[in-house]
Structure formats: C-alpha cells, structure tokens
C-alpha cells in the first residue's frame, strides 16, 4: 500500500519500497509522469485532475512529476491548463486551492492531441513524453473501443516502457468473452503485475476500513462465519437516474454496471479468509477464492434468486423525476434495479445467504453492509423480554459509520420481569478522525498507481470470476424470459425484491 510503503515486484512478491521517487529492490520505480487518455473528459475533470491536485498540494508528487493529457480535441498546453483550472474551481473547495498551489499544479500539465484510434499516430506523443516513458503511469479513461488501438500504439511507440504501468477504467468488457479479449490485448503489451484495473470502490476509505474492522479487531472474526451469522445484506442505493449516460447504461444495466464490479468486490471483502499480509498477492488471492466459490445463479434458480426492475416516473426527495424510458426516449428492457440472493459455497459460509440489491432512483443514496448475527441459543429472560439478534451495520456512504445493535436492560425495578431494548453502539468515523481530510477514492488509487502498488486494483482472475458469475445470471434471465418489474422512482424497487428476502423471514434494512 502506498501509505505502508509496500510495492510488489513483477514476480508478485511484496517488497519494501524506497520512498521519495527511489527504486525498490524489485525494480519498481515511482513514476515520473502520468499520461492521461481522455484527459478532457468527464472523469478526468471530476475525479482525476482534482485527485492529482490533492496529492500535489499534500506534497505527495515528486517535484518534477509531469501530467501529460491527451485526447482527440485540438488543444495546446494552455488550453488543457484552462480545462484543469476550471475543473479545480468546480470540484475543489476554494479554501483548499490557494493560488500558488494551483499555479504549481498547472505548471505540471502539458497536452498532446491524439486520435488514438490509429496506432500510427503515437510517435509525437512518445516524443513529448521522452525519457519519462521508462516508468510512466498511463491512465485510460476512454471508450473501450479505443483500448486495443491505444495499447498497440503505446507498445509500438515505446511508451509501454519496462516500468510503465497501465490503469484501465471500466467497463472492461460486457461479458466474460469480451473481458478476456481486452485482457489478452492489454497483456500483449503489459504484464499482469503492471496492469491496474480500477474499481473505484476499492479506493474508498470506507471500503478499506472493512479490512480494518475484520482483521484489526479480535471481536468479530470468531463469529464471522455460518455459526455466528444468519445472513448478510449489501445495498448500494442511488437516487440518480441516467445522468445523460444513455447508451452506456442502456448497454449494461444495473447487474453489469454495479454488481459485476463494486458489489462483488464488497462481497469478497466481507467473505474472504484473513490474508496473511496486506499486500497485493495475499489480498487478491483471498478475494478470488470467494469469487470462485459463488454458487451459480442459473436458469434453474434465477426466478427464486433474482429480481430485476426498471423505474417509472415518481419523485425523489420531493422532486418529480421522469421514468427510465422517458429519459431514454424509447422503450427498453434494461434493468435499473437488481436484487440477488447469493451463496458462497465454502465451509465458512455454508447456508448463509448474501442478499444484494442496487438500483437507480431509490429513495436515498446509501451504501451499506448489514451483518445479521444469529440469535442467542436460549433466552434466560421471561416472556416480556424480547431478544433481537445482534446486527452490525457498516455504512459506507454517504456518511461513514459503524453501528452495532445490542441488547441492553431497560432501567427500572423490573416488577413485571426484566425488559430489554436494542441499543446502538456507534462508531462515528468522521468524528473519530475529525482532524483527517477524507480523500476521494481516486486520490488513493492514483497514488498507488504512481507508486506501483496494485493491492487495491482488480486482478485478471478476479474480473473473470466476476464475469463468469454474472454471465450465468444473464443467461438465466434470457433463457427464462425473466420478468422486468416496474417500480416507482423514489421507492425501494419492485415489491418482488421485498418478497425475495421475506420468503426467508428477512427484511431489508432501511
Ligand atoms: C459507477 C457506475 O461505477 O459507480 C455508476 O457506473 C454509479 O452508474 C457509480 O453511479 C456509483 O459510484 P459512487 O462512488 O457514487 O457510489
């Protein structure tokens, strides 16, 4: 981890790095420059440039570090700096961007316009990058249709230098076969150890905190299995709709947009065995074992283990919003909501359902993981004392907090028998760490990329295990002509999603 001064050499071994731009024993050096493809695009403006700025203002970029932007649009360095300056003014609070710091940051920026669809066009870019090509960080946030030509161009022009590393944004394919094709193309120019597949959820502080909660405390681990846990719920609810990403979303739907990546990564972190070390190989080895242990939801089980929905016009936070097809302008069979009942078929999780749901235009933005513990085996209290089983609520966003619901005695003389009540034990993360600036996910990921640490990036075997599981679900939906249920925007999805868990005597945490 960057913060822990760990890097992984190309054989996959963890090594201590030499800070300050030095070279580690395994030969992985800090990048001297980052090359951003899609540099003027939305992700770059909202996340990448502000993240690099955050790192720069905290002194985390080497002094001569360069940020080279490239995109199709004709611009010069000044034009790109103007785009960046505008992005910073929109996405960084004014008190965090003093003028001298902004000017220093803009001074790192340069731009080369490039049509990346033709690999022959890369020579001027390579010339511009010069010797920094040896250990360049390259970030592709372009349409996947440009991946292959970009990678060929990078390799042919010498930009895929011996220490260069490549970060890729999703979607990395739309199914297992297309994901393999992309991975093969990328691996023709970069070895796996220098491919950094981004799942921005892994960059979230709150998601990393899951590891701290599980493996930094003695309290939970002995109960973290089928003997102690009844079920797990993972909800990622969004209030937004299409946000103008019409064709992107329409081609993917909620299952591939959110479950294939973010939600399966959350599930893997919840369910994995303790890794021996916090390094790229150990952590990812454990995650992939979980992903491979997921029981297939296939033609025989999709009807009982999944629900899909699409939102109709309604209201979110008191504001009327149009339905999905109104936003799209045509009819559509794309799901904007999915709920699943998953199982991890191994010893630890035998018989424990993992319920997952995600959707657009739900009542509130909220990502949380609920660990529902089992009830105590026997109550010593009288009939008046109702016992609720313990529940751990890990709220990832919008605010981070961890709450353990426990039973406590109600104060009183108990003339009619002892009474118990559920009370929360709260860890209010923002207050506990009030003096620490909360960083956006990409800050962490960009720094790890620059420093060459792939721990928080997704390995090829993980992506492929994720796709294999998702493909079976989609095949099941198609083969059984799965019903797409409508739900009113601003509600928690189709009522069938409630029935999915109620059949097991469970209710979604809301
Ligand atoms: C992206 C999806 O990966 O994650 C979007 O493509 C979704 O559809 C977004 O809105 C959610 O991310 P976050 O960080 O806002 O939870």
């Amino acid at each position: 981890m960057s913060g822990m001064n760990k890097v992984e050499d190309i054989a996959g071994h963890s090594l201590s790095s030499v800070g300050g731009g030095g070279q580690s024993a395994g030969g992985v050096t800090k990048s001297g420059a980052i090359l951003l493809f899609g540099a003027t695009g939305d992700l770059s403006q909202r996340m990448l440039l502000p993240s690099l700025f955050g790192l720069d203002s905290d002194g985390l970029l080497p002094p001569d570090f360069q940020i080279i932007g490239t995109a199709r649009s004709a611009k010069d360095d000044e034009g790109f700096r103007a785009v960046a300056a505008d992005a910073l003014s929109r996405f960084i609070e004014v008190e965090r961007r003093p003028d001298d710091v902004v000017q220093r940051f803009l001074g790192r920026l340069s731009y080369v316009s490039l049509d990346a669809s033709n690999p022959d066009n890369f020579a001027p870019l390579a010339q511009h990058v010069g010797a920094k090509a040896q250990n360049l960080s390259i970030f592709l946030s372009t349409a996947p249709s440009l991946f292959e030509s970009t990678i060929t161009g990078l390799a042919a022009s010498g930009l895929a230098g011996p220490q260069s590393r490549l970060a890729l944004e999703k979607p990395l394919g739309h199914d297992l076969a297309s994901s393999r094709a992309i991975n093969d193309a990328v691996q023709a120019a970069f070895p796996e150890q220098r491919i950094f597949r981004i799942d921005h959820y892994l960059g979230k502080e709150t998601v990393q905190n899951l590891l701290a909660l599980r493996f930094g405390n003695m309290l939970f681990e002995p109960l973290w299995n089928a003997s102690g846990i009844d079920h797990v719920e993972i909800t990622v609810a969004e209030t937004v709709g299409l946000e103008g990403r019409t064709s992107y979303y329409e081609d993917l739907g909620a299952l591939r947009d959110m479950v294939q990546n973010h939600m399966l990564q959350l599930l893997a972190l919840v369910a994995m065995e303790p890794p021996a070390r916090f390094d790229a190989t150990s952590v990812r080895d454990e995650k992939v074992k979980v992903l491979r242990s997921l029981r297939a939801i296939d033609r025989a089980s999709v009807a009982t283990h999944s629900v899909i929905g699409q939102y109709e016009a309604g209201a979110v936070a008191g504001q009327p919003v149009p339905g999905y097809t109104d936003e799209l302008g045509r009819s559509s069979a794309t799901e904007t909501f999915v709920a699943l009942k998953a199982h991890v078929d191994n010893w630890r999780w035998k018989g424990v359902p993992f319920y997952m749901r995600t959707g657009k235009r739900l009542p509130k933005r909220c990502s949380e993981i609920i660990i529902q513990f089992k009830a105590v085996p026997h109550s010593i209290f009288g009939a008046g004392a109702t016992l609720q089983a313990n529940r751990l609520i890990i709220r990832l966003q919008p605010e981070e907090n961890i709450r353990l619901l426990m039973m406590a005695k109600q104060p009183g003389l108990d003339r009619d028998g002892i009474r118990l009540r559920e009370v929360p034990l709260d860890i209010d993360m923002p207050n506990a760490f009030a003096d620490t600036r909360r960083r956006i996910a990409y800050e962490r990921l960009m720094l790890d990329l620059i420093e060459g640490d792939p721990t928080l990036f997704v390995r090829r075997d993980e992506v492929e295990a994720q796709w294999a599981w998702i493909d079976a679900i989609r095949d099941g939906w198609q083969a059984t002509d799965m019903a797409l249920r409508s739900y009113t925007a601003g509600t928690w999805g189709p009522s069938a999603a409630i029935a999915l868990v109620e059949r097991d005597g469970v209710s979604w945490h809301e």
Side-chain angles (χ1 to χ4, degrees):
M1 310 299 298
S2 55
M4 299 192 147
N5 267 357
K6 287 278 188 185
V7 293
E8 183 173 273
D9 74 358
I10 50 169
H13 301 119
S14 177
L15 301 160
S16 291
S17 75
V18 188
Q23 185 164 5
S24 77
V28 176
T29 51
K30 254 190 190 176
S31 287
I34 189 163
L35 175 55
L36 299 178
F37 282 84
T40 53
D42 185 55
L43 183 76
S44 176
Q45 294 193 39
R46 275 189 306 116
M47 296 290 174
L48 307 184
L49 292 167
S51 296
L52 288 166
F53 175 79
L55 296 175
D56 192 20
S57 49
D58 289 346
L60 293 168
L61 296 182
D64 61 347
F65 190 80
Q66 287 179 26
I67 299 164
I68 303 156
T70 176
R72 192 192 287 259
S73 55
K75 262 187 215 333
D76 56 10
D77 294 349
E78 281 316 311
F80 181 44
R81 287 182 189 134
V83 170
D86 176 59
L88 298 186
S89 68
R90 283 185 294 136
F91 299 111
I92 305 265
E93 309 89 69
V94 66
E95 57 281 7
R96 278 196 43 230
R97 46 178 166 87
D99 211 37
D100 54 329
V101 183
V102 171
Q103 290 313 319
R104 183 184 67 200
F105 177 74
L106 296 179
R108 296 179 183 278
L109 267 53
S110 61
Y111 184 83
V112 178
S113 86
L114 167 71
D115 174 2
S117 64
N118 183 351
D120 297 339
N121 293 347
F122 282 61
L125 180 63
Q127 209 173 7
H128 180 88
V129 174
K132 300 258 184 205
Q134 291 310 301
N135 62 352
L136 191 61
S137 286
I138 304 166
F139 197 112
L140 293 198
S141 77
T142 50
S145 55
L146 289 176
F147 281 0
E148 228 168 309
S149 59
T150 304
I151 286 151
T152 313
L154 287 168
S157 64
L159 284 165
Q163 289 296 327
S164 289
R165 51 208 78 132
L166 182 74
L168 294 158
E169 263 298 329
K170 75 183 228 312
L172 294 179
H174 49 88
D175 58 11
L176 178 58
S178 55
S179 142
R180 281 192 173 141
I182 292 175
N183 282 325
D184 286 345
V186 176
Q187 281 184 334
F190 294 87
E192 175 63 28
Q193 295 74 15
R194 290 195 275 114
I195 301 172
F196 288 63
R197 295 180 196 80
I198 293 189
D199 184 315
H200 79 277
Y201 268 52
L202 294 180
K204 289 181 193 270
E205 197 71 52
T206 50
V207 173
Q208 293 157 37
N209 201 20
L210 259 178
L211 297 176
L213 182 80
R214 283 197 61 197
F215 304 125
N217 295 294
M218 188 56 203
L219 207 56
F220 299 114
E221 198 50 26
L223 286 177
W224 208 266
N225 52 48
S227 317
I229 293 177
D230 183 77
H231 67 269
V232 175
E233 285 177 27
I234 304 177
T235 292
V236 177
E238 297 189 277
T239 52
V240 293
L242 259 180
E243 293 182 297
R245 301 152 82 214
T246 326
S247 69
Y248 165 84
Y249 196 83
E250 175 62 8
D251 286 349
L252 285 185
L255 183 71
R256 289 184 285 180
D257 184 42
M258 294 296 286
V259 181
Q260 186 274 337
N261 36 59
H262 312 320
M263 296 191 75
L264 285 184
Q265 284 290 322
L266 292 180
L267 183 147
L269 292 173
V270 170
M272 73 184 189
E273 296 301 314
R277 281 176 297 278
F278 193 28
D279 65 34
T281 303
S282 312
V283 171
R284 299 189 296 179
D285 280 354
E286 295 306 337
K287 281 193 294 168
V288 79
K289 281 192 227 162
V290 172
L291 296 166
R292 288 190 185 135
S293 309
L294 282 167
R295 185 186 304 166
I297 299 178
D298 54 17
R299 295 175 184 199
S301 55
V302 274
T304 49
H305 288 64
S306 70
V307 169
I308 48 177
Q310 189 186 79
Y311 63 83
E312 289 185 335
V316 177
Q319 296 299 314
V321 294
Y324 179 75
T325 51
D326 306 326
E327 280 182 65
L328 191 64
R330 59 190 147 91
S331 67
S332 158
T334 298
E335 80 285 356
T336 61
F337 175 96
V338 58
L340 298 169
K341 174 179 170 181
H343 283 95
V344 177
D345 278 337
N346 63 18
W347 276 40
R348 183 186 282 259
W349 297 113
K350 172 84 185 153
V352 179
F354 285 72
Y355 302 105
M356 289 188 272
R357 66 175 170 170
T358 185
K360 302 275 187 202
R361 294 285 193 223
L362 299 186
K364 57 178 181 184
R365 176 166 188 255
C366 158
S367 302
E368 59 185 18
I369 298 169
I370 313 291
I371 309 294
Q372 177 64 61
F373 290 98
K374 290 200 161 153
V376 294
H378 163 73
S379 174
I380 64 166
F381 307 105
T386 321
L387 280 175
Q388 308 273 358
N390 298 137
R391 179 175 264 222
L392 180 67
I393 302 166
I394 306 164
R395 170 70 68 94
L396 306 173
Q397 55 189 28
E399 71 288 342
E400 178 180 19
N401 54 49
I402 298 170
R403 165 173 278 203
L404 181 61
L405 295 177
M406 309 183 53
M407 297 313 292
K409 179 186 168 302
Q410 280 197 28
L413 295 176
D414 308 325
R415 308 294 289 164
D416 300 319
I418 200 164
R419 290 197 183 278
L420 302 177
R421 207 176 72 201
E422 194 175 54
V423 287
L425 190 64
D426 276 320
I427 306 175
D428 181 346
M429 298 295 292
N431 277 342
F433 298 98
D435 51 344
T436 317
R437 173 165 81 81
R438 312 303 281 169
R439 293 178 180 277
I440 49 178
Y442 280 94
E443 262 181 89
R444 174 52 179 268
L445 298 177
M446 298 290 258
L447 186 61
D448 284 355
L449 170 69
I450 291 164
E451 297 195 334
D453 182 347
T455 308
L456 295 179
F457 296 81
V458 186
R459 211 166 55 187
R460 176 171 182 159
D461 50 2
E462 292 178 81
V463 179
E464 294 187 352
Q466 290 171 181
W467 274 123
W469 193 69
I470 294 293
D471 281 1
I473 299 175
R474 291 186 52 243
D475 170 73
W477 289 349
Q478 269 152 25
T480 60
D481 211 3
M482 180 84 173
L484 178 69
R485 298 160 199 275
S486 56
Y487 62 99
T488 307
T491 65
W492 283 105
S495 54
I498 298 167
L500 175 82
V501 297
E502 268 182 357
R503 282 199 291 274
D504 298 340
V506 169
S507 51
W508 293 106
H509 181 256
E510 266 148 36

